[in-house]
Amino acid sequence: MADYMRDWGANASRGNYTAARHAVSIRERVRRRLADRMGASASECVSFHSGCTAALNAAIHGLIPGIVGRDHHVITTAAEHNSVLRPLIRATAQAGAQLEIVACNDDGDLDVDALSDAMQDRTRMVALTDASNVTGIRYRVAEIGHRIAQINASRSTADRIILLCDAAQTFGYLPLNVATMGVHVLAAPAHKGSGGPLGIAMLYLHPDLHDRIEPTMQGGSGHDGLADEMPHAMPGRLEPGSMNIAALAGWDAALDRPPTAPDHWKILADNLHDRLLSIHGCRVVGARGELPIASIEFGELLSCAEAAAILDAEFAIEVRSGYHCAARLHDCLGTRDTGTLRISCGHGTTLEELDRLAEALSEIVDS
């Protein structure tokens, strides 16, 4: 990123000089690498956005007006992040459509049969996160995708169900393939499992939807400058304005890291949960999942905000307290009044660090 900003600094698709061509090469190389990593049929299926929230908004507000009408039905779950829930609530209300939010179990998991049973002849979209950012549970997106494919096989193109997946928590940590999962729309940022920087994210869009999505932002695209509308072809259709090439350079570098074996994350998750469960006065909220994420609370003994502040100030351990932009999941978990203290592991987390976390929490609770 520093090399790009110091030595190049040019915008992409805004000229045919050397630095501009270099910017284009960075952008298109990352686009190809991401498409290959998720099993997309073509790099044109990948568009870039300023963050995962922007990507999800581009998909939801760009697709729903054209595919969801007043008599239609959209399904999502209580596990969703506000980056999915809030645009869905607004877009379906504007379309006059019904939005059904399927509840999770009291351990934070999702009943796939309950979600499948919610599908109707009127259903046009299902939006489902790949994994919970509160508990680390990975949901069975591929199974839902298979069931949707069976339903779509007997429907016309206009009546088919679109499966939208928020992969913010899993992309870069766990393998995923949009083709085998049956996913039509997928969003993921650079700065989480990919190990890249803030300020850039991707949106995958199935080729069948390229003609059906409307751009929610308009502006310069670097080509076809005489037209009054955004380009028709993807991905330029969803990429107005100047792109964050510096962030893409960082993502490109991050993608050089070999993928971590999925078993590594499950081992880390099990070790994290085992340590937390051994601490008297600390309650682990929800079931353990495939990702090394856990939420805890202390009842009346200690507020989550106080625990987070002490961990930071006294032990240099950084965790997050609160509701994690997933209020409806807290309703299912029974933590709406307290929120949770969330511990998240990353690529560099070691078992020794989990020991230090457990020792710090034990000391805080005992005091």
PDB file of all heavy atoms in Angstrom, residues 35 38-45 178-179 204-207:
ATOM      1  N   ALA A  35     -12.464 -13.905  -7.445  1.00  0.00           N
ATOM      2  CA  ALA A  35     -13.384 -14.755  -8.200  1.00  0.00           C
ATOM      3  C   ALA A  35     -12.933 -16.210  -8.153  1.00  0.00           C
ATOM      4  O   ALA A  35     -13.749 -17.121  -7.941  1.00  0.00           O
ATOM      5  CB  ALA A  35     -13.481 -14.270  -9.647  1.00  0.00           C
ATOM      6  N   MET A  38     -13.542 -17.890  -4.637  1.00  0.00           N
ATOM      7  CA  MET A  38     -14.907 -18.250  -4.233  1.00  0.00           C
ATOM      8  C   MET A  38     -15.645 -19.061  -5.289  1.00  0.00           C
ATOM      9  O   MET A  38     -16.836 -19.330  -5.151  1.00  0.00           O
ATOM     10  CB  MET A  38     -15.706 -16.992  -3.900  1.00  0.00           C
ATOM     11  CG  MET A  38     -16.116 -16.163  -5.078  1.00  0.00           C
ATOM     12  SD  MET A  38     -17.105 -14.741  -4.604  1.00  0.00           S
ATOM     13  CE  MET A  38     -15.862 -13.487  -4.608  1.00  0.00           C
ATOM     14  N   GLY A  39     -14.946 -19.474  -6.348  1.00  0.00           N
ATOM     15  CA  GLY A  39     -15.567 -20.314  -7.361  1.00  0.00           C
ATOM     16  C   GLY A  39     -16.523 -19.590  -8.272  1.00  0.00           C
ATOM     17  O   GLY A  39     -17.438 -20.210  -8.837  1.00  0.00           O
ATOM     18  N   ALA A  40     -16.334 -18.284  -8.462  1.00  0.00           N
ATOM     19  CA  ALA A  40     -17.194 -17.519  -9.379  1.00  0.00           C
ATOM     20  C   ALA A  40     -16.868 -17.890 -10.820  1.00  0.00           C
ATOM     21  O   ALA A  40     -15.720 -18.213 -11.153  1.00  0.00           O
ATOM     22  CB  ALA A  40     -16.994 -16.018  -9.164  1.00  0.00           C
ATOM     23  N   SER A  41     -17.872 -17.830 -11.676  1.00  0.00           N
ATOM     24  CA  SER A  41     -17.685 -18.246 -13.063  1.00  0.00           C
ATOM     25  C   SER A  41     -16.867 -17.251 -13.873  1.00  0.00           C
ATOM     26  O   SER A  41     -16.270 -17.613 -14.890  1.00  0.00           O
ATOM     27  CB  SER A  41     -19.049 -18.457 -13.734  1.00  0.00           C
ATOM     28  OG  SER A  41     -19.814 -17.257 -13.694  1.00  0.00           O
ATOM     29  N   ALA A  42     -16.820 -15.982 -13.448  1.00  0.00           N
ATOM     30  CA  ALA A  42     -16.071 -14.962 -14.174  1.00  0.00           C
ATOM     31  C   ALA A  42     -15.720 -13.826 -13.230  1.00  0.00           C
ATOM     32  O   ALA A  42     -16.448 -13.554 -12.265  1.00  0.00           O
ATOM     33  CB  ALA A  42     -16.883 -14.434 -15.359  1.00  0.00           C
ATOM     34  N   SER A  43     -14.617 -13.139 -13.502  1.00  0.00           N
ATOM     35  CA  SER A  43     -14.218 -12.027 -12.645  1.00  0.00           C
ATOM     36  C   SER A  43     -15.204 -10.874 -12.734  1.00  0.00           C
ATOM     37  O   SER A  43     -15.305 -10.067 -11.799  1.00  0.00           O
ATOM     38  CB  SER A  43     -12.815 -11.554 -13.019  1.00  0.00           C
ATOM     39  OG  SER A  43     -12.766 -11.086 -14.355  1.00  0.00           O
ATOM     40  N   GLU A  44     -15.962 -10.780 -13.834  1.00  0.00           N
ATOM     41  CA  GLU A  44     -16.959  -9.709 -13.977  1.00  0.00           C
ATOM     42  C   GLU A  44     -18.075  -9.817 -12.945  1.00  0.00           C
ATOM     43  O   GLU A  44     -18.844  -8.862 -12.751  1.00  0.00           O
ATOM     44  CB  GLU A  44     -17.567  -9.729 -15.382  1.00  0.00           C
ATOM     45  CG  GLU A  44     -16.615  -9.310 -16.488  1.00  0.00           C
ATOM     46  CD  GLU A  44     -15.627 -10.403 -16.872  1.00  0.00           C
ATOM     47  OE1 GLU A  44     -15.846 -11.582 -16.475  1.00  0.00           O
ATOM     48  OE2 GLU A  44     -14.638 -10.082 -17.559  1.00  0.00           O
ATOM     49  N   CYS A  45     -18.161 -10.959 -12.270  1.00  0.00           N
ATOM     50  CA  CYS A  45     -19.180 -11.141 -11.233  1.00  0.00           C
ATOM     51  C   CYS A  45     -18.813 -10.422  -9.939  1.00  0.00           C
ATOM     52  O   CYS A  45     -19.640 -10.338  -9.034  1.00  0.00           O
ATOM     53  CB  CYS A  45     -19.374 -12.631 -10.944  1.00  0.00           C
ATOM     54  SG  CYS A  45     -20.029 -13.589 -12.330  1.00  0.00           S
ATOM     55  N   VAL A 178     -19.330 -20.266  -4.140  1.00  0.00           N
ATOM     56  CA  VAL A 178     -20.691 -19.804  -4.423  1.00  0.00           C
ATOM     57  C   VAL A 178     -21.459 -20.792  -5.292  1.00  0.00           C
ATOM     58  O   VAL A 178     -22.688 -20.897  -5.186  1.00  0.00           O
ATOM     59  CB  VAL A 178     -20.669 -18.411  -5.083  1.00  0.00           C
ATOM     60  CG1 VAL A 178     -20.208 -17.356  -4.093  1.00  0.00           C
ATOM     61  CG2 VAL A 178     -19.794 -18.384  -6.343  1.00  0.00           C
ATOM     62  N   ALA A 179     -20.745 -21.525  -6.138  1.00  0.00           N
ATOM     63  CA  ALA A 179     -21.426 -22.484  -7.014  1.00  0.00           C
ATOM     64  C   ALA A 179     -21.951 -23.672  -6.225  1.00  0.00           C
ATOM     65  O   ALA A 179     -23.126 -24.048  -6.346  1.00  0.00           O
ATOM     66  CB  ALA A 179     -20.469 -22.940  -8.111  1.00  0.00           C
ATOM     67  N   TYR A 204     -20.192 -10.318  -4.852  1.00  0.00           N
ATOM     68  CA  TYR A 204     -20.369 -11.291  -5.932  1.00  0.00           C
ATOM     69  C   TYR A 204     -21.814 -11.273  -6.368  1.00  0.00           C
ATOM     70  O   TYR A 204     -22.728 -11.285  -5.527  1.00  0.00           O
ATOM     71  CB  TYR A 204     -19.994 -12.704  -5.471  1.00  0.00           C
ATOM     72  CG  TYR A 204     -20.554 -13.772  -6.376  1.00  0.00           C
ATOM     73  CD1 TYR A 204     -19.947 -14.076  -7.586  1.00  0.00           C
ATOM     74  CD2 TYR A 204     -21.729 -14.452  -6.038  1.00  0.00           C
ATOM     75  CE1 TYR A 204     -20.477 -15.032  -8.445  1.00  0.00           C
ATOM     76  CE2 TYR A 204     -22.270 -15.412  -6.884  1.00  0.00           C
ATOM     77  CZ  TYR A 204     -21.644 -15.699  -8.081  1.00  0.00           C
ATOM     78  OH  TYR A 204     -22.194 -16.636  -8.933  1.00  0.00           O
ATOM     79  N   LEU A 205     -22.021 -11.277  -7.687  1.00  0.00           N
ATOM     80  CA  LEU A 205     -23.365 -11.292  -8.254  1.00  0.00           C
ATOM     81  C   LEU A 205     -23.419 -12.348  -9.351  1.00  0.00           C
ATOM     82  O   LEU A 205     -22.621 -12.316 -10.303  1.00  0.00           O
ATOM     83  CB  LEU A 205     -23.695  -9.909  -8.834  1.00  0.00           C
ATOM     84  CG  LEU A 205     -25.165  -9.596  -9.115  1.00  0.00           C
ATOM     85  CD1 LEU A 205     -25.948  -9.501  -7.808  1.00  0.00           C
ATOM     86  CD2 LEU A 205     -25.291  -8.286  -9.888  1.00  0.00           C
ATOM     87  N   HIS A 206     -24.340 -13.278  -9.205  1.00  0.00           N
ATOM     88  CA  HIS A 206     -24.503 -14.346 -10.205  1.00  0.00           C
ATOM     89  C   HIS A 206     -24.793 -13.740 -11.577  1.00  0.00           C
ATOM     90  O   HIS A 206     -25.501 -12.736 -11.680  1.00  0.00           O
ATOM     91  CB  HIS A 206     -25.660 -15.258  -9.779  1.00  0.00           C
ATOM     92  CG  HIS A 206     -25.777 -16.507 -10.582  1.00  0.00           C
ATOM     93  ND1 HIS A 206     -26.353 -16.534 -11.829  1.00  0.00           N
ATOM     94  CD2 HIS A 206     -25.390 -17.784 -10.311  1.00  0.00           C
ATOM     95  CE1 HIS A 206     -26.327 -17.766 -12.299  1.00  0.00           C
ATOM     96  NE2 HIS A 206     -25.750 -18.545 -11.400  1.00  0.00           N
ATOM     97  N   PRO A 207     -24.239 -14.329 -12.642  1.00  0.00           N
ATOM     98  CA  PRO A 207     -24.459 -13.764 -13.986  1.00  0.00           C
ATOM     99  C   PRO A 207     -25.920 -13.532 -14.346  1.00  0.00           C
ATOM    100  O   PRO A 207     -26.240 -12.582 -15.073  1.00  0.00           O
ATOM    101  CB  PRO A 207     -23.818 -14.806 -14.909  1.00  0.00           C
ATOM    102  CG  PRO A 207     -22.766 -15.456 -14.075  1.00  0.00           C
ATOM    103  CD  PRO A 207     -23.318 -15.491 -12.673  1.00  0.00           C
TER     104      PRO A 207
END
